[in-house]
Amino acid sequence: MIEENFDIVYKKFRIELYRHIFSVLGSREGSLSASDYFTVETVYLLGTPTISEFARTLKISQPNATYRIKSLMEKGYLEKLGTEKKSAFRLTVTEKFKKYYHEDMGYGKYIFNRLKAALDEEELKSVDELFEKFISACDSTQDAIGDET
């Protein structure tokens, strides 16, 4: 029962998220493709990764990652951050992406507000405890994936 319910919630969340993202993507000047959007969002979520870290995270080749990153730099959504090593750099998103992302990605807040409206305070507390356990499990899995590369 729990697997079936989780699957239903997961699918509903994903469909609603994609519906929201695609409604945003098509309505902007200089709009990003879905692939570009997910690429630059991944950089944003990773913080300031190197191209190698980005490629490892997505399990794509270095040339593929370099191509994607270069394209988004040319479009003005990503830029290089210098490091102590002159030959190395980290990636960061630009203000252009932050404006795009923050204006339209209030979706997480929308989902949270729906959850908050559906549950009482005690239920929210229980959900929060479950979230903490789940986050810890995800962090452990992410650490293990990092060790494989």
Side-chain angles (χ1 to χ4, degrees), residues 18 40-41 50 61 65 68 87 91 101 112 115 127 139 142:
Y18 295 151
V40 73
E41 183 183 35
T50 63
S61 70
R68 290 172 181 267
S87 62
L91 302 166
Y101 187 80
F112 177 74
L115 181 67
V127 169
D139 288 347
Q142 189 63 37

Side-chain angles (χ1 to χ4, degrees), residues 16 37 45 49 54 58-59 73-74 82 85 101 147 149:
E16 288 296 320
Y37 182 87
L45 294 172
F54 170 80
L58 296 183
K59 296 191 179 209
M73 290 173 87
E74 289 170 358
K85 291 183 182 177
Y101 187 80
D147 292 342
T149 57

Side-chain angles (χ1 to χ4, degrees), residues 17-35:
L17 177 62
Y18 295 151
R19 183 178 295 137
H20 178 76
I21 288 171
F22 281 95
S23 72
V24 169
L25 288 178
S27 66
R28 293 250 155 148
E29 184 180 324
S31 191
L32 294 167
S33 70
S35 178

